[in-house]
């Protein structure tokens, strides 16, 4: 059994101990040139984050504020692992607020994809977070916020009603013609899965 990690320093140490120069080269392809990279395989990073799922708030904050890609990615993984638990509606709303409050720590598309569906999409689906936040994110200048706007509704496809899926398609339509490739690709992904879901629903 993996030893639980209870401080940000322990998480950083575990990440550094798992550093691999070949992984660093791969990660460099998707982060900004000036962004520090440790070089940790994603499967290993997920395991480390799972061991840190019960980090106190101040320690999780320290991960969000750390300059290295992997430390912030591990913080968003912690949110995702928490969202997989049997939580109350209020607890789900609290996770969504952390995601939104810490969105500035997101610097890559995979941080969005890892956390947005369960951490943000789920509480919107159960109406403990107002879905107007999707419109706000879709109208943001930051393309990663716009990616969050269309990635969070992937949870609607998984667990929502046809009307919920259509709500996601409204967000997709609002992002038509977006000039950022990471937003356009996310819109295409949503539309593909949404149409598959709606077709299967109509033929059932």
């Amino acid at each position: 059994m993996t030893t639980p990690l209870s401080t940000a320093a322990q998480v950083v140490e575990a990440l550094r101990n798992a550093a691999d120069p070949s992984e660093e080269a791969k990660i460099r392809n998707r982060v900004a040139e000036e962004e520090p990279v440790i070089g940790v395989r994603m499967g290993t990073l997920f395991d480390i984050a799972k061991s840190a799922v019960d980090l106190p708030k101040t320690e999780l904050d320290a991960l969000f504020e750390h300059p290295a890609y992997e430390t912030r990615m591990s913080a968003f993984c912690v949110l995702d692992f928490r969202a997989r638990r049997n939580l109350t509606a209020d607890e789900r709303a609290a996770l969504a607020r952390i995601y939104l409050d810490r969105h500035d720590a997101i610097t890559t598309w995979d941080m969005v994809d890892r956390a947005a569906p369960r951490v943000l999409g789920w509480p919107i689906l159960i109406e403990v977070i107002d879905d107007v936040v999707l419109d706000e994110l879709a109208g943001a200048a930051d393309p990663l916020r716009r990616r969050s706007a269309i990635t969070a509704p992937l949870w609607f496809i998984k667990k929502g009603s046809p009307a919920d899926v259509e709500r996601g398609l409204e967000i997709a339509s609002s992002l038509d013609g977006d000039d950022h490739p990471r937003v356009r690709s996310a819109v295409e992904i949503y539309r593909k899965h949404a149409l598959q879901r709606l077709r299967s629903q109509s033929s059932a």
Side-chain angles (χ1 to χ4, degrees), residues 48-62:
I48 291 170
K50 192 176 289 187
S51 298
V53 72
D54 291 312
L55 278 182
K57 181 181 182 303
T58 54
E59 300 299 324
L60 186 60
D61 286 343

Side-chain angles (χ1 to χ4, degrees), residues 7 29-30 36 41 50 71 104 108 136 150 169 190 198:
T7 69
N29 292 327
R30 63 178 183 272
R41 188 177 65 86
K50 192 176 289 187
T71 52
D104 285 346
T108 58
E136 294 168 352
I150 193 58
L169 287 171
Y190 184 84
L198 293 173

Side-chain angles (χ1 to χ4, degrees), residues 101-165:
D101 289 346
R102 288 295 183 171
H103 208 290
D104 285 346
I106 295 176
T107 54
T108 58
W109 60 269
D110 54 347
M111 293 181 186
V112 172
D113 291 13
R114 178 66 185 180
R118 283 186 178 84
V119 176
L120 182 57
W122 196 336
I124 291 173
L125 182 63
I126 62 172
E127 300 182 346
V128 292
I129 292 289
D130 195 318
D131 73 347
V132 72
V133 73
L134 296 176
D135 300 296
E136 294 168 352
L137 289 167
D142 175 14
L144 291 173
R145 289 179 185 270
R146 301 200 300 276
R147 189 172 176 106
S148 282
I150 193 58
T151 302
L154 287 172
W155 196 253
F156 301 177
I157 297 172
K158 187 176 179 68
K159 296 290 186 180
S161 68
D164 297 316
V165 178

Side-chain angles (χ1 to χ4, degrees), residues 14-96:
L15 291 168
R16 287 178 175 156
N17 287 342
D20 179 344
S22 66
E23 290 297 325
E24 181 179 355
K26 294 176 189 175
I27 294 167
R28 271 272 152 242
N29 292 327
R30 63 178 183 272
V31 302
E33 185 178 344
E34 69 279 3
E35 187 167 1
V37 167
I38 298 171
V40 181
R41 188 177 65 86
M42 280 299 104
T44 302
L45 187 150
F46 296 158
D47 289 341
I48 291 170
K50 192 176 289 187
S51 298
V53 72
D54 291 312
L55 278 182
K57 181 181 182 303
T58 54
E59 300 299 324
L60 186 60
D61 286 343
L63 291 184
F64 283 123
E65 292 161 10
H66 196 281
Y69 159 82
E70 287 90 346
T71 52
R72 285 174 287 108
M73 179 58 146
S74 66
F76 286 102
C77 288
V78 164
L79 295 185
D80 178 67
F81 284 128
R82 287 181 181 178
R84 293 166 189 253
R85 290 174 162 177
N86 185 19
L87 302 178
T88 66
D90 286 346
E91 288 169 334
R92 293 206 178 280
L95 284 183

